[in-house]
Amino acid sequence: MLKVRDLRDSFISYFRDSGHQIVPSSSLVPKDDPTLLFTTAGMVQFKPMFAGTVDLAYTRAASVQKCFRTSDLENVGKTKRHCTFFEMLGNFSFGDYFKKEAIEFAWEYSTAIIKFPRERIWISIYEDDDEAFDLWRGRIGIPAEKIVRLGKADNFWGPAGDSGACGLCSELYLDRGPEFGCGSPDCKPGCDCERFLEYWKLVFNQYYQDTAGALSPLPRTGIDTGMGLERLSTLVQNVDSIYETDELRQVAEFICRERGVKYEGVNAQCVNILVEHGRALTFAISDGAYPSNEGRGYVLRRIIRRALRYARMIGVHEPFLHKIVDPLVSIM
């Protein structure tokens, strides 16, 4: 079984061998970008390169980027896949390759490297993106009935912040089987059930969106892809939730031992929240964010309060979150 560390390494190795510059993760506190409180996606550190405002030292890159989002905060720990902190595997092109190569890279990594069965992969594309349809159908060989056209809410991405590069998307999904589904005969990507899990988003950057929302063509087209490591690990390790993947499971086991609780029912939900929020806070504070009354500091305070609220439900009435740090550092 591929562990989380193996997946990080395999992604970097694959794209290094494919001629990509391997770029270290940037800080969770964005540099010189007042439009964002936190780094929310792998493309954030590359925004000037997509916009064409800097000279290019390379034209294709790959990274494993630390990310922080709070849009789904109240779902974190309650669902099987939502996070505030996560790692995003991504490959990027700045005027180098475009749709054809991005699709070919995603398909080869999915089927040849991590060996997802071809017949279980489904694709979504933007509703009128016939070029992407032709590539998936004609070049890759995906059956037409497994290519789903979705609207702007699902298959148009960006920008990160209130301005920047954006474009049409194509997404790869893995069919986990009818036991995860809603039972509808029409169930397919785009359904809210857990059967078809999106694991990789390919963004075909063609536009620049300004702060007023107006679109203009980018000086050069680009590729921005994102694949959540936690979600990918869930699929590769064939477990039910991100908290059962090898790294996060070890943190959950530590908390259960420390508190003498069983990982079941409401206890499991509370432990999941402590695992996720403890990890998020550790990484954010390590990168220079600090709890305060405003901005990103206030976001951290909200997360601390939420963690403490659920800690009370498993009998924690004293400082505890700090105890997660050392085992977390050791595991990761």
Side-chain angles (χ1 to χ4, degrees):
M1 179 185 71
L2 289 171
K3 294 186 175 181
V4 174
R5 184 179 299 275
D6 300 326
L7 291 171
R8 289 191 194 94
D9 292 344
S10 73
F11 185 85
I12 290 301
S13 295
Y14 174 78
F15 281 100
R16 180 187 289 116
D17 292 345
S18 300
H20 291 66
Q21 174 74 29
I22 305 305
V23 181
S25 173
S26 62
S27 171
L28 285 174
V29 178
K31 180 182 179 182
D32 302 324
D33 191 344
T35 70
L36 290 168
L37 290 178
F38 293 99
T39 297
T40 56
M43 64 85 67
V44 168
Q45 66 171 311
F46 302 117
K47 284 174 71 173
M49 300 173 76
F50 282 117
T53 57
V54 297
D55 293 333
L56 296 179
Y58 43 83
T59 58
R60 53 176 68 184
S63 67
V64 181
Q65 174 64 51
K66 298 173 289 185
C67 298
F68 198 103
R69 296 180 188 173
T70 56
S71 55
D72 292 307
L73 179 58
E74 289 307 314
N75 287 323
V76 172
K78 297 179 180 179
T79 70
K80 298 174 181 179
R81 53 189 170 86
H82 285 103
C83 299
T84 54
F85 172 85
F86 59 97
E87 295 179 81
M88 184 173 285
L89 310 174
N91 59 290
F92 309 91
S93 165
F94 317 106
D96 187 323
Y97 58 84
F98 200 47
K99 289 186 185 181
K100 179 177 78 71
E101 294 85 353
I103 286 171
E104 290 172 342
F105 284 140
W107 182 253
E108 184 176 46
Y109 182 79
S110 295
T111 58
I113 306 302
I114 56 177
K115 302 187 185 307
F116 282 156
R118 298 167 64 100
E119 65 277 6
R120 290 176 57 198
I121 297 176
W122 286 58
I123 304 298
S124 73
I125 59 173
Y126 187 69
E127 55 193 355
D128 61 3
D129 191 353
D130 293 333
E131 181 185 4
F133 178 89
D134 291 342
L135 287 166
W136 282 115
R137 179 72 190 97
R139 192 165 189 89
I140 303 300
I142 300 291
E145 63 271 18
K146 290 189 174 182
I147 305 174
V148 181
R149 295 177 184 264
L150 298 174
K152 188 173 183 179
D154 295 286
N155 281 84
F156 188 100
W157 192 90
D162 60 7
S163 63
C166 54
L168 311 184
C169 302
S170 181
E171 297 178 328
L172 289 83
Y173 294 74
L174 192 71
D175 181 359
R176 306 174 75 194
E179 64 272 24
F180 289 93
C182 58
S184 169
D186 297 323
C187 186
K188 58 187 176 181
C191 182
D192 289 333
C193 73
E194 297 286 332
R195 175 172 177 173
F196 295 94
L197 197 62
E198 179 255 311
Y199 67 92
W200 206 342
K201 182 185 289 288
L202 315 181
V203 184
F204 311 128
N205 280 328
Q206 296 172 267
Y207 308 107
Y208 180 87
Q209 180 175 304
D210 63 23
T211 54
L215 297 177
S216 58
L218 286 172
R220 50 181 172 254
T221 59
I223 291 295
D224 158 26
T225 86
M227 178 162 54
L229 179 60
E230 292 78 7
R231 190 175 295 192
L232 177 65
S233 303
T234 301
L235 294 172
V236 170
Q237 296 179 12
N238 195 30
V239 293
D240 193 40
S241 82
I242 62 170
Y243 300 101
E244 295 174 35
T245 57
D246 63 281
E247 289 186 349
L248 295 186
R249 185 181 69 246
Q250 291 180 68
V251 185
E253 289 170 349
F254 168 81
I255 294 171
C256 288
R257 286 196 305 270
E258 283 286 302
R259 300 309 308 177
V261 298
K262 291 185 177 180
Y263 189 74
E264 58 187 23
V266 174
N267 284 353
Q269 183 183 106
C270 296
V271 169
N272 289 347
I273 289 169
L274 290 175
V275 168
E276 201 288 328
H277 289 355
R279 186 173 72 147
L281 291 163
T282 299
F283 275 90
I285 293 171
S286 295
D287 275 357
Y290 198 77
S292 68
N293 293 330
E294 58 186 17
R296 66 178 59 94
Y298 185 70
V299 172
L300 298 191
R301 283 188 64 184
R302 285 180 61 205
I303 292 173
I304 291 171
R305 287 203 301 265
R306 187 170 188 266
L308 296 181
R309 174 158 54 95
Y310 282 92
R312 290 283 182 105
M313 294 173 66
I314 57 170
V316 179
H317 295 275
E318 71 280 358
F320 179 73
L321 277 175
H322 67 284
K323 293 183 179 180
I324 298 173
V325 176
D326 284 346
L328 182 71
V329 169
S330 176
I331 290 162
M332 299 198 69

